Amino acid sequence: MSHYSIFFKNLYNKYIHRRCAISKIIDGKDLLAKVKNEITVNVAMLRKRGIVPSLSIIRVGENKASIAYSRSIMSKADSLGIYVEQHKLDKLISEKELISIIQKINERKEINGILVELPLPQNIRQKTVLEAIDPYKDIDGFHPINLGKLLAGNLVFVPATAQSIIETIKNSIHSIVGKNAVVIGRSNIVGKPVALLLLKENATVTICHSYTRNLPEITKTADILVVSIGRPKMINKNYVKEGAIVIDAGINKIDGKIVGDVDFDSVQDIVGRITPVPGNIGALTTLMLLKNTVKATKIQNKLDIS
Ligand code: NDP
């Protein structure tokens, strides 16, 4: 074979390989559009009744990631007709003062949702602050009452990232029923709620964490693998079963670039479907918060949420 034909054959193979990898990516655009449309319809219905869904964001200090997160929520909310007010508090505020601010917002009828940006400074107990939020305004779903309801299978406010993950899975495969699902990570924000949601969908669920022995042996049994560990690119082809759907919740910054917890290049030939980072889960999470704000507004106004 001539040099030319080898060159073109390699080029063609590269093209096919890239096309194949792209077709496995769950871009989630259809799901984003669906959720946006759902919010738009509900906001229009509420505004017709003279109700403007309203959200209060509380940020303590100047954490860069928190600032970016509030900005992204505010711009999406604005485009969807949801009112947002922001409380920027000094990093030296006491826990007592912060709780008193939350209690005042709890009592304001015109505010439907409260979001406290995490992490909080170390002198403030996160658990105590989250418990101070009125459970009916807890759009993050972190209040113990809402987490308890999730455990009981009664979904009122589900943590937004977990909600995005389960909706992405439902939108990407025919059925979850009876599938082996492995969740790596057991945070209250992602790992535990995702595991409960998968269980509610009748998957067989295993939760792994930093003390799990023989992690690859377990993750290789997964038809559905959810990764939320905060370890850049840790999950490579040695952890993934052929044809698995892989959901990467990780957001890590390396050399100014955002990467996931999954090593995309290593697993792309093995996976059935995979979420990209950045993209998908992160984008959907913000929308889920706004969806929860609309839900809170409907609950507080005694409107049907089904
Ligand atoms: P946490 O730090 O709260 O939890 C990490 C979990 O991963 C823990 O359960 C920990 O185990 C486990 N873990 C850590 N290292 C290993 C390991 N080597 N092997 C197995 N398990 C391990 O993180 P979060 O769940 O809050 O976040 C995880 C990632 O998801 C981060 O990158 C974060 O930025 C991202 N994230 C993304 C969101 C989004 O909207 N897309 C929202 C929230 C988070 P143990 O419990 O034993 O310590």
Side-chain angles (χ1 to χ4, degrees), residues 295-306:
K295 192 176 192 182
T297 312
K298 287 168 93 178
I299 292 173
Q300 288 156 36
N301 286 281
K302 303 198 168 25
L303 296 167
D304 184 17
I305 55 161
S306 57

Side-chain angles (χ1 to χ4, degrees), residues 69 142 160-162 164-165 183-192 207-212 215 227-232 234-235 239 248-253 259-261 277 279-286:
Y69 191 42
F142 297 158
T161 306
S164 305
I165 291 173
V183 179
I184 323 179
R186 55 174 166 179
S187 67
N188 286 343
I189 297 175
V190 189
K192 279 186 208 157
I207 306 177
C208 301
H209 44 78
S210 66
Y211 294 87
T212 300
L215 186 62
V227 189
S228 180
I229 49 180
R231 301 269 180 270
M234 185 185 121
I235 302 304
Y239 292 78
D248 185 357
I251 301 177
N252 313 283
K253 213 169 191 179
V259 299
D261 291 340
V277 177
N280 200 291
I281 300 300
L284 200 51
T285 296
T286 320

Side-chain angles (χ1 to χ4, degrees), residues 19-31 167-174 179 222-227 240-248 262-264 267-276 280:
R19 284 296 300 257
C20 228
I22 288 171
S23 68
K24 291 177 176 184
I25 292 176
I26 304 170
D27 72 13
K29 281 196 189 105
D30 54 338
L31 187 54
E167 291 303 327
T168 300
I169 298 171
K170 279 187 184 171
N171 199 46
S172 310
I173 56 174
H174 176 60
K179 294 270 187 331
D223 304 307
I224 301 167
L225 180 62
V226 179
V227 189
V240 180
K241 173 174 145 180
E242 178 115 35
I245 169 168
V246 177
I247 308 290
D248 185 357
V262 177
D263 184 345
F264 182 88
V267 304
Q268 63 176 338
D269 289 339
I270 305 171
V271 294
R273 309 289 315 272
I274 182 164
T275 55
N280 200 291

